[in-house]
Amino acid sequence: MGAPGRALLWLQLLALTRAADKVWVPNTNFDDATNWSQNRTPCAGAAVEFPADKTVSVLVREGHSISDMLLPLDGEFVLASGAGFGATDAGSRPDCGTGARARFLDPDRFLWLDPLLWRPGDAARGLFSVDAERVPCLHDDVVFPPDASFRVGLGPGAGTVRVRSVQALGQTFAREEDLAAFLASRAGRLRFHGPGALSVDPEACTDPSGCVCGNAEAQPWICAALLQPLGGGCPQAACLEPLRPEGQCCDLCGAVVSLTHGPAFDLQRYRARLLHAFLALPQYQGLQVAVSKVPRPPGLRKASGAKADTEIQVVLVEAGPETGGAGRLARALLADIAQHGGGGATRRPPRGPGRRWASTIRCSTRRTPRRRSRPRSRTKGAPAAATSLIRCLAKRRPRPERPRDRPVAPRPQPHPGGIAGPAGSPTFCWPSPIKRILAPDVSADTSRISYARLPLPGRSCEGQVGW
């Protein structure tokens, strides 16, 4: 990696150590063409119309000549230096057309819970967030750019939105009483509306393993706002068995690795390791990765006997046309965790009596005999623990009986893209899609992996689990 690449990586790692910011994207600026019905700002001599029953604050950056203007019910124009309005005859510019009014679009269309309306303050290349975490989380700092006017709808149905702090109009509101006074003022009423409420809690996330976002209850409304332009339904995924990670609204194609963590796990350090040791490699350039702490599924927690109620979710999505990279990276992460362990690893306790994970299909990334527990590795690697042997929570499709009067078909030959089994055993591509792979040793720190199999007829089964 050259000097420019190292400098870029250093900036990305620095961004990961800073407090998480969520920046509001849309605005209600007069000079923004997306705020007008004709997708362009009013021409000279145009008639301008604002929604008569709405309230809005509008920033004006330039000078405009108009023939007449219908003002909103309540609002304000914030004039930048050199900006203003002048009167002129209607239709003074032939290229603008005549008769059609320039209508300002509904300023109440922007909702707090819409993931499309937020962006991270400092996003490292290759990282993304699941849909529920694209909206400000409990420990996030919210920023409304000072060089734009805005209007935000709180609600419906989400109750009180809580964040760490709010930056608006050049001020930072980190105390509940200060934010309440601002929201009750005229400036606050022009910018925030709706049945919901907004509050701040200045307590930062001090857990090195990260904190849960806290948007689980609001996720139905988050997904409704996200899918509203699509008619309320999810688009069809381009793979046979798509996945839906925790916090995601629709299915996606890729892989999901879920890691249990110990008290010494450091989420930021693990993100940095993903960027430095994996995403910087050429074979993983087309992948997008989301890493966060999520609630552990109650059913899985009860079945496994695990005490932790959270886990680390790693979502791998293939952003480019190439396929198979997500599966390869998922197995590489498991191998890295099993090899290095790190601060979050614990010694594997002896396996107690009881029934293992029930599964009719057994598969592994590498087939190794069960060995005795080893002391924790002191190598500073991936800060989590995993077992090398994993099981597939899938059911084999029933095999139809072969007619007796028909000859027995020859046994298929090993596929060149498969994964080798025990010594002397053949290697085949998996005959049916695999939904989830789970470590059987659930009494220790474990990991599981899910991935979607892409429809690649006639191609190598590279990136899929063989048996």
Side-chain angles (χ1 to χ4, degrees), residues 185-212:
S185 66
R186 185 174 187 273
R189 295 194 305 270
L190 287 175
R191 290 161 176 83
F192 294 91
H193 71 98
L198 177 62
S199 67
V200 292
D201 184 356
E203 182 180 357
C205 177
T206 58
D207 189 346
S209 65
C211 295
V212 176

mmCIF file of all heavy atoms in Angstrom, residues 185-212:
data_model
loop_
_atom_site.group_PDB
_atom_site.id
_atom_site.type_symbol
_atom_site.label_atom_id
_atom_site.label_comp_id
_atom_site.label_asym_id
_atom_site.label_seq_id
_atom_site.Cartn_x
_atom_site.Cartn_y
_atom_site.Cartn_z
ATOM 1 N N SER A 185 -40.057 27.581 20.847
ATOM 2 C CA SER A 185 -39.929 28.916 20.251
ATOM 3 C C SER A 185 -40.469 28.907 18.819
ATOM 4 O O SER A 185 -40.718 27.849 18.229
ATOM 5 C CB SER A 185 -38.469 29.346 20.257
ATOM 6 O OG SER A 185 -37.697 28.524 19.390
ATOM 7 N N ARG A 186 -40.637 30.100 18.250
ATOM 8 C CA ARG A 186 -41.139 30.189 16.878
ATOM 9 C C ARG A 186 -40.154 29.556 15.900
ATOM 10 O O ARG A 186 -40.560 28.875 14.954
ATOM 11 C CB ARG A 186 -41.395 31.647 16.504
ATOM 12 C CG ARG A 186 -42.041 31.800 15.118
ATOM 13 C CD ARG A 186 -42.430 33.249 14.837
ATOM 14 N NE ARG A 186 -43.179 33.336 13.588
ATOM 15 C CZ ARG A 186 -42.618 33.467 12.379
ATOM 16 N NH1 ARG A 186 -41.293 33.504 12.277
ATOM 17 N NH2 ARG A 186 -43.376 33.537 11.299
ATOM 18 N N ALA A 187 -38.862 29.771 16.120
ATOM 19 C CA ALA A 187 -37.857 29.168 15.246
ATOM 20 C C ALA A 187 -37.945 27.649 15.291
ATOM 21 O O ALA A 187 -37.817 26.975 14.261
ATOM 22 C CB ALA A 187 -36.459 29.641 15.645
ATOM 23 N N GLY A 188 -38.193 27.085 16.478
ATOM 24 C CA GLY A 188 -38.324 25.645 16.592
ATOM 25 C C GLY A 188 -39.583 25.115 15.948
ATOM 26 O O GLY A 188 -39.562 24.065 15.306
ATOM 27 N N ARG A 189 -40.703 25.848 16.093
ATOM 28 C CA ARG A 189 -41.966 25.401 15.491
ATOM 29 C C ARG A 189 -41.918 25.464 13.976
ATOM 30 O O ARG A 189 -42.596 24.687 13.303
ATOM 31 C CB ARG A 189 -43.132 26.253 16.014
ATOM 32 C CG ARG A 189 -43.396 26.088 17.504
ATOM 33 C CD ARG A 189 -44.757 26.670 17.878
ATOM 34 N NE ARG A 189 -44.891 28.054 17.456
ATOM 35 C CZ ARG A 189 -44.551 29.111 18.182
ATOM 36 N NH1 ARG A 189 -44.028 28.922 19.397
ATOM 37 N NH2 ARG A 189 -44.730 30.340 17.731
ATOM 38 N N LEU A 190 -41.134 26.371 13.419
ATOM 39 C CA LEU A 190 -40.998 26.444 11.971
ATOM 40 C C LEU A 190 -40.191 25.269 11.411
ATOM 41 O O LEU A 190 -40.308 24.955 10.224
ATOM 42 C CB LEU A 190 -40.320 27.755 11.563
ATOM 43 C CG LEU A 190 -41.156 29.029 11.686
ATOM 44 C CD1 LEU A 190 -40.310 30.254 11.363
ATOM 45 C CD2 LEU A 190 -42.377 28.974 10.772
ATOM 46 N N ARG A 191 -39.398 24.643 12.238
ATOM 47 C CA ARG A 191 -38.476 23.601 11.756
ATOM 48 C C ARG A 191 -38.834 22.193 12.208
ATOM 49 O O ARG A 191 -38.411 21.236 11.569
ATOM 50 C CB ARG A 191 -37.044 23.958 12.201
ATOM 51 C CG ARG A 191 -36.504 25.169 11.458
ATOM 52 C CD ARG A 191 -35.327 25.812 12.149
ATOM 53 N NE ARG A 191 -34.808 26.914 11.343
ATOM 54 C CZ ARG A 191 -35.317 28.146 11.355
ATOM 55 N NH1 ARG A 191 -36.348 28.424 12.155
ATOM 56 N NH2 ARG A 191 -34.803 29.089 10.588
ATOM 57 N N PHE A 192 -39.582 22.069 13.295
ATOM 58 C CA PHE A 192 -39.972 20.744 13.774
ATOM 59 C C PHE A 192 -41.490 20.714 13.948
ATOM 60 O O PHE A 192 -42.079 21.644 14.487
ATOM 61 C CB PHE A 192 -39.288 20.428 15.110
ATOM 62 C CG PHE A 192 -37.791 20.284 15.008
ATOM 63 C CD1 PHE A 192 -36.958 21.379 15.188
ATOM 64 C CD2 PHE A 192 -37.219 19.050 14.735
ATOM 65 C CE1 PHE A 192 -35.586 21.252 15.099
ATOM 66 C CE2 PHE A 192 -35.841 18.916 14.644
ATOM 67 C CZ PHE A 192 -35.024 20.018 14.822
ATOM 68 N N HIS A 193 -42.098 19.624 13.504
ATOM 69 C CA HIS A 193 -43.545 19.493 13.603
ATOM 70 C C HIS A 193 -43.888 18.023 13.719
ATOM 71 O O HIS A 193 -43.031 17.142 13.558
ATOM 72 C CB HIS A 193 -44.235 20.103 12.363
ATOM 73 C CG HIS A 193 -44.015 19.282 11.114
ATOM 74 N ND1 HIS A 193 -44.941 18.383 10.650
ATOM 75 C CD2 HIS A 193 -42.969 19.238 10.259
ATOM 76 C CE1 HIS A 193 -44.480 17.812 9.547
ATOM 77 N NE2 HIS A 193 -43.279 18.311 9.280
ATOM 78 N N GLY A 194 -45.156 17.750 14.000
ATOM 79 C CA GLY A 194 -45.637 16.377 14.042
ATOM 80 C C GLY A 194 -45.989 15.922 15.442
ATOM 81 O O GLY A 194 -45.712 16.602 16.435
ATOM 82 N N PRO A 195 -46.600 14.731 15.536
ATOM 83 C CA PRO A 195 -47.080 14.241 16.830
ATOM 84 C C PRO A 195 -45.971 13.697 17.728
ATOM 85 O O PRO A 195 -46.193 13.483 18.923
ATOM 86 C CB PRO A 195 -48.047 13.115 16.438
ATOM 87 C CG PRO A 195 -47.520 12.623 15.122
ATOM 88 C CD PRO A 195 -46.966 13.826 14.422
ATOM 89 N N GLY A 196 -44.795 13.436 17.186
ATOM 90 C CA GLY A 196 -43.718 12.885 17.987
ATOM 91 C C GLY A 196 -43.028 13.935 18.831
ATOM 92 O O GLY A 196 -43.344 15.124 18.789
ATOM 93 N N ALA A 197 -42.071 13.484 19.619
ATOM 94 C CA ALA A 197 -41.301 14.366 20.494
ATOM 95 C C ALA A 197 -39.824 14.073 20.307
ATOM 96 O O ALA A 197 -39.429 12.981 19.893
ATOM 97 C CB ALA A 197 -41.710 14.171 21.958
ATOM 98 N N LEU A 198 -39.008 15.076 20.620
ATOM 99 C CA LEU A 198 -37.560 14.978 20.493
ATOM 100 C C LEU A 198 -36.921 15.332 21.818
ATOM 101 O O LEU A 198 -37.269 16.354 22.431
ATOM 102 C CB LEU A 198 -37.056 15.915 19.384
ATOM 103 C CG LEU A 198 -35.550 15.985 19.160
ATOM 104 C CD1 LEU A 198 -34.999 14.626 18.730
ATOM 105 C CD2 LEU A 198 -35.210 17.052 18.113
ATOM 106 N N SER A 199 -36.008 14.492 22.280
ATOM 107 C CA SER A 199 -35.313 14.750 23.537
ATOM 108 C C SER A 199 -33.857 14.359 23.393
ATOM 109 O O SER A 199 -33.478 13.628 22.460
ATOM 110 C CB SER A 199 -35.959 13.980 24.693
ATOM 111 O OG SER A 199 -35.775 12.588 24.515
ATOM 112 N N VAL A 200 -33.027 14.831 24.322
ATOM 113 C CA VAL A 200 -31.598 14.546 24.296
ATOM 114 C C VAL A 200 -31.194 13.912 25.621
ATOM 115 O O VAL A 200 -31.749 14.206 26.674
ATOM 116 C CB VAL A 200 -30.769 15.822 24.037
ATOM 117 C CG1 VAL A 200 -30.994 16.330 22.628
ATOM 118 C CG2 VAL A 200 -31.094 16.908 25.052
ATOM 119 N N ASP A 201 -30.221 13.027 25.524
ATOM 120 C CA ASP A 201 -29.614 12.390 26.688
ATOM 121 C C ASP A 201 -28.110 12.463 26.477
ATOM 122 O O ASP A 201 -27.559 11.749 25.634
ATOM 123 C CB ASP A 201 -30.075 10.946 26.820
ATOM 124 C CG ASP A 201 -29.537 10.264 28.072
ATOM 125 O OD1 ASP A 201 -28.735 10.900 28.790
ATOM 126 O OD2 ASP A 201 -29.917 9.116 28.332
ATOM 127 N N PRO A 202 -27.415 13.323 27.209
ATOM 128 C CA PRO A 202 -25.987 13.553 26.927
ATOM 129 C C PRO A 202 -25.079 12.393 27.285
ATOM 130 O O PRO A 202 -23.871 12.469 27.046
ATOM 131 C CB PRO A 202 -25.668 14.779 27.787
ATOM 132 C CG PRO A 202 -26.654 14.745 28.900
ATOM 133 C CD PRO A 202 -27.903 14.157 28.319
ATOM 134 N N GLU A 203 -25.616 11.319 27.838
ATOM 135 C CA GLU A 203 -24.760 10.199 28.222
ATOM 136 C C GLU A 203 -24.186 9.527 26.986
ATOM 137 O O GLU A 203 -24.915 9.111 26.081
ATOM 138 C CB GLU A 203 -25.553 9.189 29.042
ATOM 139 C CG GLU A 203 -24.719 8.000 29.518
ATOM 140 C CD GLU A 203 -25.528 7.014 30.324
ATOM 141 O OE1 GLU A 203 -26.721 7.282 30.561
ATOM 142 O OE2 GLU A 203 -24.973 5.973 30.714
ATOM 143 N N ALA A 204 -22.865 9.404 26.927
ATOM 144 C CA ALA A 204 -22.198 8.789 25.793
ATOM 145 C C ALA A 204 -22.131 7.278 25.968
ATOM 146 O O ALA A 204 -22.298 6.753 27.072
ATOM 147 C CB ALA A 204 -20.795 9.364 25.625
ATOM 148 N N CYS A 205 -21.885 6.578 24.888
ATOM 149 C CA CYS A 205 -21.693 5.135 24.937
ATOM 150 C C CYS A 205 -20.265 4.867 25.404
ATOM 151 O O CYS A 205 -19.300 5.140 24.681
ATOM 152 C CB CYS A 205 -21.933 4.518 23.562
ATOM 153 S SG CYS A 205 -21.639 2.743 23.489
ATOM 154 N N THR A 206 -20.113 4.333 26.597
ATOM 155 C CA THR A 206 -18.793 4.082 27.174
ATOM 156 C C THR A 206 -18.383 2.617 27.099
ATOM 157 O O THR A 206 -17.287 2.273 27.547
ATOM 158 C CB THR A 206 -18.776 4.535 28.644
ATOM 159 O OG1 THR A 206 -19.798 3.842 29.368
ATOM 160 C CG2 THR A 206 -19.027 6.039 28.736
ATOM 161 N N ASP A 207 -19.221 1.772 26.567
ATOM 162 C CA ASP A 207 -18.907 0.349 26.457
ATOM 163 C C ASP A 207 -17.981 0.136 25.255
ATOM 164 O O ASP A 207 -18.348 0.460 24.123
ATOM 165 C CB ASP A 207 -20.191 -0.452 26.279
ATOM 166 C CG ASP A 207 -19.960 -1.954 26.370
ATOM 167 O OD1 ASP A 207 -18.792 -2.383 26.305
ATOM 168 O OD2 ASP A 207 -20.944 -2.695 26.516
ATOM 169 N N PRO A 208 -16.772 -0.400 25.457
ATOM 170 C CA PRO A 208 -15.880 -0.625 24.307
ATOM 171 C C PRO A 208 -16.478 -1.551 23.258
ATOM 172 O O PRO A 208 -16.140 -1.444 22.075
ATOM 173 C CB PRO A 208 -14.631 -1.246 24.950
ATOM 174 C CG PRO A 208 -14.685 -0.856 26.380
ATOM 175 C CD PRO A 208 -16.140 -0.793 26.733
ATOM 176 N N SER A 209 -17.365 -2.451 23.662
ATOM 177 C CA SER A 209 -17.973 -3.362 22.695
ATOM 178 C C SER A 209 -19.115 -2.720 21.921
ATOM 179 O O SER A 209 -19.752 -3.382 21.099
ATOM 180 C CB SER A 209 -18.478 -4.623 23.400
ATOM 181 O OG SER A 209 -19.531 -4.310 24.301
ATOM 182 N N GLY A 210 -19.388 -1.434 22.161
ATOM 183 C CA GLY A 210 -20.433 -0.727 21.451
ATOM 184 C C GLY A 210 -21.758 -0.770 22.180
ATOM 185 O O GLY A 210 -21.916 -1.448 23.199
ATOM 186 N N CYS A 211 -22.713 -0.045 21.670
ATOM 187 C CA CYS A 211 -24.050 0.027 22.246
ATOM 188 C C CYS A 211 -25.087 -0.257 21.170
ATOM 189 O O CYS A 211 -24.886 0.066 19.992
ATOM 190 C CB CYS A 211 -24.306 1.405 22.863
ATOM 191 S SG CYS A 211 -23.251 1.809 24.275
ATOM 192 N N VAL A 212 -26.174 -0.848 21.583
ATOM 193 C CA VAL A 212 -27.277 -1.100 20.656
ATOM 194 C C VAL A 212 -27.873 0.232 20.212
ATOM 195 O O VAL A 212 -27.976 1.175 21.002
ATOM 196 C CB VAL A 212 -28.335 -1.988 21.331
ATOM 197 C CG1 VAL A 212 -29.549 -2.181 20.433
ATOM 198 C CG2 VAL A 212 -27.736 -3.340 21.689
#
